[in-house]
């Protein structure tokens, strides 16, 4: 009975957060960060209070049944995984970072408009535990998340082509869908879109209605990719790369056909061409700058060649699969994936260093290959500010940081760093380094960033192991991986970090159920 009540409360909270929260606005885009934050805090604090009440109920039940030889449900609550441990230690580090900061008022709730301070972070850690212990792993919530995010993505595509089904007081190209600016949209896309994409890739077509459900997941995948291509930020291509690399790693490791992965590549290229078609049919409607990777891929035929290559690859793999030892060869060859990533990053770094110092004719005008403060649309200056801020800290703060969400207060208190930031960003106040781990290094120190990275690494690793028994676990690992990869050039905010922790809580629930002999329904 207690288990059913737990799941009911968990499903109610997940439905509100995943299906209603993305659409909540107040006065349109006016103070959207403030409005979203209030909604998240009110709902989440109430949910966490219910979690505490449920925990006390389980404790009473445990004490009553302790001597009876039964195995009460509370035993499931007590098992601690590596990710659980990292989350607990990270919450402790955040608390001490707040205790030791000079900016208590700012650190408590977070910088205005961002609100990733001490209380929100500790609340997210608590919600992770709540969901991982109370949710039963059913797919109903995932389907709701898919439906809601598909609607958000469709609104984003409409907004980019100057159609506004939902009216706002302020309408301008930098604001998109019901999420705020483009960076917030990309952050939400990066952490939620893998839900439907992974269901498309790993759906069992032999199940009742499996083929039609897979078709729906395929349609969702196209919508998500079109939203990525149309929104206008080049950072989405880091998400594209991370998504396809980890999915290829999973598919190759399972010893299964990689044809489904090639279908996914085909859908990616087709989505770019569909956005290109919309731009052709509605030439005056597209309302954002095209001088970026999104503009290139939706203006050229490159994506069409990707589709053609995926089709040829599909035919070639089908032919090769008939040979003995093909699956074993694919499993052995997947080691080339991380090797290729390392070699590619090394090649980029060498070319960027040479181009910055001496200049390479074909790359001189490409900011991606010019290291400096203007790299990545000003991200070079933000990265430099983060490094300089951490270097200027005393030893204690190097370990625990200057306080949760206090990067801005500390960086602008350093005269040289503040001057550099004003030179690059003018009157706009930089509240993070546009690299989540570097921001975490400043806010919670070396200890905090190690624990924070440990949460994601241990969780992704655990999902990859559990996925061999229950493929649903892969989904959550991919969401966490894509979130972390995308935020190497972006930041945590109230529309991506809560989803990351909630999805990790869901993934931990699926892992625990799988380990005890159950499975995701």
């Amino acid at each position: 009975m207690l288990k059913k009540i737990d799941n009911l409360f968990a499903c109610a909270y997940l439905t509100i957060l995943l299906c209603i929260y993305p659409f909540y606005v107040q006065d349109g885009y006016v103070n959207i960060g403030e409005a979203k934050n209030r909604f998240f805090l009110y709902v989440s604090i109430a949910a966490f209070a219910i979690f505490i009440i449920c925990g006390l109920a389980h404790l009473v039940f445990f004490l009553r049944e302790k001597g009876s030889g039964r195995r009460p449900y509370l035993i499931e609550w007590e098992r601690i995984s590596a990710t659980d441990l990292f989350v607990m230690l990270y919450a402790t580090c955040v608390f001490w970072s707040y205790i030791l900061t000079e900016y208590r008022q700012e650190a408590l709730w977070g910088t205005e408009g961002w609100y990733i301070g001490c209380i929100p972070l500790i609340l997210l850690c608590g919600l992770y535990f709540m969901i991982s212990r109370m949710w039963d792993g059913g797919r109903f919530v995932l389907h709701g998340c898919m439906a809601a995010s598909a609607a958000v993505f469709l609104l984003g595509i409409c907004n980019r082509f100057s159609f506004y089904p939902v009216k706002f007081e302020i309408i301008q190209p930098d604001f998109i869908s019901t999420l705020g600016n483009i960076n917030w949209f990309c952050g939400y896309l990066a952490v939620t879109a893998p839900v439907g994409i992974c269901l498309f890739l790993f759906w069992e077509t032999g199940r009742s209605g499996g083929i039609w459900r897979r078709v729906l997941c395929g349609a969702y995948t196209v919508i998500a990719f079109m939203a990525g291509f149309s929104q206008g930020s080049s950072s989405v291509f880091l998400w594209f790369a991370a998504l396809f690399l980890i999915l290829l790693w999973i598919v190759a490791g399972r010893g299964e056909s990689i044809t489904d992965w090639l279908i996914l590549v085909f859908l990616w290229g087709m989505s770019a061409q569909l956005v290109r078609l919309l731009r052709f049919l509605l030439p005056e409607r597209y309302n954002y700058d095209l001088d970026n990777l999104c503009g290139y891929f939706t203006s050229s035929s490159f994506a069409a060649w990707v589709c053609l290559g995926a089709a040829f690859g599909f035919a070639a793999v089908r032919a090769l699969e008939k040979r003995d030892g093909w699956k074993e060869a694919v499993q052995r060859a997947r080691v080339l994936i991380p090797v290729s990533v390392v070699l590619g990053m090394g090649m980029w770094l060498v070319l960027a260093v040479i181009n910055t110092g001496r200049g390479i004719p074909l790359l001189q005008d490409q900011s991606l290959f010019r290291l400096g403060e203007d790299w990545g649309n000003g991200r070079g200056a933000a990265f430099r500010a983060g490094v300089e801020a951490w270097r200027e800290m005393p030893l204690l703060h190097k370990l625990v940081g200057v306080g949760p969400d206090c990067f801005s207060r500390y960086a602008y208190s350093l005269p040289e760093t503040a001057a550099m930031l004003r030179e690059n960003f003018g009157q706009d106040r930089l509240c993070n380094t546009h690299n989540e781990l570097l921001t975490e290094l400043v806010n919670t120190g070396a200890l905090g960033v190690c624990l924070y990275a440990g949460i994601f690494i241990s969780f992704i690793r655990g999902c990859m192991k559990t996925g061999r028994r229950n493929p649903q676990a892969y989904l959550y690992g991919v969401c966490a991986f894509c979130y972390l990869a995308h935020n190497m050039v972006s930041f945590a905010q109230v529309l991506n970090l809560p989803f990351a922790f909630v999805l990790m809580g869901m993934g931990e629930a699926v892992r625990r159920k799988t380990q005890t002999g159950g499975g995701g329904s």
Side-chain angles (χ1 to χ4, degrees):
M1 182 63 181
L2 284 177
K3 190 172 183 178
K4 290 181 179 179
I5 295 173
D6 286 346
N7 183 58
L8 179 64
F9 282 128
C11 285
Y13 173 72
L14 290 171
T15 301
I16 292 171
L17 192 74
L18 297 175
C19 303
I20 299 176
Y21 178 47
F23 298 102
Y24 178 78
V25 293
Q26 193 176 50
D27 301 323
Y29 288 117
V30 179
N31 298 322
I32 192 169
E34 180 76 32
K36 294 282 190 185
N37 176 66
R38 281 199 305 269
F39 183 100
F40 165 71
L41 284 178
Y42 292 160
V43 172
S44 298
I45 289 173
F48 191 62
I50 293 172
F51 169 60
I52 293 174
I53 293 171
C54 290
L56 292 174
H58 284 293
L59 180 60
V60 171
F61 181 74
F62 174 76
L63 294 174
R64 279 178 51 194
E65 303 293 330
K66 187 175 182 180
S68 65
R70 300 177 186 176
R71 291 180 57 82
Y73 182 44
L74 185 64
I75 291 177
E76 289 301 309
W77 288 44
E78 292 179 327
R79 285 194 301 113
I80 300 296
S81 68
T83 306
D84 293 342
L85 185 60
F86 275 115
V87 170
M88 287 188 290
L89 291 174
Y90 175 69
T92 304
C93 181
V94 167
F95 174 76
W96 280 107
S97 180
Y98 167 73
I99 293 296
L100 297 172
T101 186
E102 298 176 9
Y103 315 109
R104 291 273 185 90
Q105 186 174 357
E106 184 125 359
L108 185 61
W109 294 100
T111 298
E112 184 178 359
W114 301 95
Y115 303 107
I116 308 294
C118 178
I119 291 179
L121 286 174
I122 293 177
L123 179 61
L124 285 175
C125 293
L127 291 170
Y128 161 86
F129 278 102
M130 179 190 86
I131 295 164
S132 66
R133 269 64 180 174
M134 296 174 66
W135 187 55
D136 72 352
R139 287 191 178 183
F140 168 79
V141 173
L142 294 178
H143 297 158
C145 177
M146 279 181 59
S149 57
V152 170
F153 300 152
L154 284 171
L155 284 173
I157 296 169
C158 288
N159 290 176
R160 185 52 69 230
F161 285 90
S162 302
F163 292 105
Y164 293 89
V166 178
K167 298 299 182 182
F168 296 106
E169 290 189 15
I170 300 175
I171 293 179
Q172 54 180 285
D174 284 340
F175 294 149
I176 186 168
S177 193
T178 55
L179 304 180
N181 69 30
I182 295 173
N183 286 321
W184 286 42
F185 184 87
C186 286
Y188 174 83
L189 174 77
V191 73
T192 58
V195 171
I197 294 170
C198 288
L199 286 178
F200 167 76
L201 194 62
F202 301 121
W203 192 277
E204 304 91 332
T205 53
R207 295 175 60 180
S208 175
I211 294 177
W212 288 109
R213 292 181 183 181
R214 195 161 189 257
V215 169
L216 289 175
C217 290
Y220 173 92
T221 298
V222 172
I223 291 170
F225 285 157
M226 288 181 67
F229 278 115
S230 64
Q231 46 73 43
S233 171
S234 295
S235 70
V236 77
F237 284 84
L238 185 57
W239 172 67
F240 283 144
L243 177 70
F244 280 103
L245 284 171
I246 191 170
L247 290 178
L248 181 59
W249 174 265
I250 291 170
V251 171
R254 295 177 73 185
E256 297 181 358
S257 173
I258 62 172
T259 51
D260 285 347
W261 184 83
L262 290 168
I263 293 173
L264 199 65
V265 174
F266 180 88
L267 294 179
W268 180 83
M270 185 182 76
S271 301
Q273 292 300 292
L274 287 174
V275 175
R276 184 184 184 187
L277 178 62
L278 286 175
R279 287 183 49 202
F280 174 77
L281 296 174
L282 305 167
E284 305 300 323
R285 287 282 188 173
Y286 190 82
N287 58 19
Y288 202 71
D289 181 25
L290 293 172
D291 187 21
N292 49 54
L293 289 176
C294 289
Y296 170 77
F297 276 88
T298 58
S299 300
S300 69
S301 298
F302 182 85
W305 287 104
V306 170
C307 290
L308 188 61
F312 276 113
F314 183 93
V317 169
R318 281 294 193 190
L320 290 170
E321 282 178 341
K322 299 176 182 179
R323 299 187 178 185
D324 294 335
W326 164 251
K327 290 183 178 180
E328 292 75 11
V330 170
Q331 286 179 309
R332 290 194 298 270
R334 78 171 182 157
V335 71
L336 296 176
I337 299 172
V339 170
S340 299
V341 172
V342 172
L343 289 176
M345 292 178 65
M347 184 178 297
W348 165 80
L349 183 60
V350 169
L351 290 174
V353 170
I354 295 174
N355 187 52
T356 303
R358 301 180 181 178
I360 299 175
L362 293 177
L363 300 178
Q364 283 182 340
D365 296 330
Q366 302 297 321
S367 65
L368 184 64
F369 290 89
R370 288 198 311 270
L371 301 178
E373 292 179 2
D374 63 340
W375 181 87
N377 196 25
R379 283 174 171 81
F383 292 176
R384 178 185 166 187
V387 173
E388 289 183 354
W390 189 76
R391 190 172 56 192
E392 293 294 324
M393 294 179 195
L395 180 60
L396 179 61
H397 287 295
K398 276 187 168 70
L399 289 174
V400 298
V402 294
D405 213 9
C406 290
F407 166 81
S408 179
R409 286 292 299 274
Y410 181 71
Y412 282 92
S413 72
L414 304 174
E416 292 185 6
T417 303
M420 184 269 292
L421 290 174
R422 292 191 182 98
E423 181 181 345
N424 284 276
F425 299 100
Q427 296 303 312
D428 294 333
R429 192 172 183 85
L430 189 72
C431 295
N432 58 75
T433 68
H434 275 263
N435 177 296
E436 186 164 356
L437 294 183
L438 185 54
T439 303
E440 197 68 40
L441 179 67
V442 175
N443 290 339
T444 58
L447 184 58
V449 74
C450 288
L451 293 172
Y452 188 75
I455 293 173
F456 284 88
I457 293 170
S458 64
F459 176 75
I460 295 167
R461 185 169 177 269
C463 286
M464 295 302 106
K465 287 185 175 181
T466 307
R468 297 167 191 159
R469 296 175 58 191
N470 181 3
Q472 190 184 149
Y474 286 131
L475 181 156
Y476 304 101
V478 173
C479 288
F481 181 81
C482 287
Y483 169 85
L484 197 61
H486 177 262
N487 276 19
M488 291 303 96
V489 293
S490 194
F491 46 80
Q493 31 88 357
V494 294
L495 274 169
N496 64 359
L497 187 62
F499 291 108
F501 269 81
V502 162
L503 286 164
M504 285 194 290
M506 294 167 68
E508 184 64 22
V510 169
R511 289 188 61 227
R512 295 165 74 85
K513 187 173 181 180
T514 303
Q515 290 166 1
T516 55
S521 59

